[in-house]
Amino acid sequence: MDLAVVVFWGLGSLILASAWAVVNGKLHKEIEFVGFTEAWQFMTIAVTEIEKMNHHPEWFNVYNKLVIDLMTHDAGGITENDVNLAKYLDKIPIIPS
């Protein structure tokens, strides 16, 4: 199966199953936590898997808000690696605000 088809299929199921969207050619998600500690805990849990995947996500954190953008710069867009990271991030428990 062509990688583009795999990514498209994975991307479609990901968007349907969670709050990810495609914004400016990147997988995009915004999360609001109870407070800064919960946001920091999420990022701390995520970093181990991110390093294993050799991924370099763009994310922006201010207090209890985290904005995540995923794309593979070398490929010039969203790849299966981005979809897999998004699915992993969705498994991390979140205490919503």
Side-chain angles (χ1 to χ4, degrees):
M1 184 179 284
D2 185 283
L3 178 61
V5 173
V6 171
V7 170
F8 179 75
W9 181 85
L11 185 58
S13 64
L14 177 71
I15 290 171
L16 290 174
S18 65
W20 290 93
V22 176
V23 177
N24 296 323
K26 301 174 185 178
L27 283 178
H28 178 86
K29 186 171 188 174
E30 298 182 17
I31 307 170
E32 189 169 327
F33 299 87
V34 171
F36 179 70
T37 300
E38 292 77 14
W40 192 263
Q41 287 172 343
F42 178 93
M43 292 185 288
T44 302
I45 292 167
V47 73
T48 303
E49 187 66 21
I50 289 168
E51 285 292 318
K52 285 182 195 173
M53 295 176 77
N54 193 30
H55 207 299
H56 306 96
E58 298 174 16
W59 63 20
F60 181 74
N61 166 246
V62 174
Y63 185 60
N64 69 331
K65 294 182 174 109
L66 177 62
V67 177
I68 306 168
D69 287 308
L70 304 176
M71 71 164 292
T72 301
H73 297 279
D74 292 344
I78 299 167
T79 66
E80 188 173 9
N81 195 35
D82 302 303
V83 172
N84 289 339
L85 178 54
K87 287 178 179 179
Y88 172 78
L89 295 175
D90 280 346
K91 293 178 183 176
I92 300 173
I94 296 173
I95 301 170
S97 62

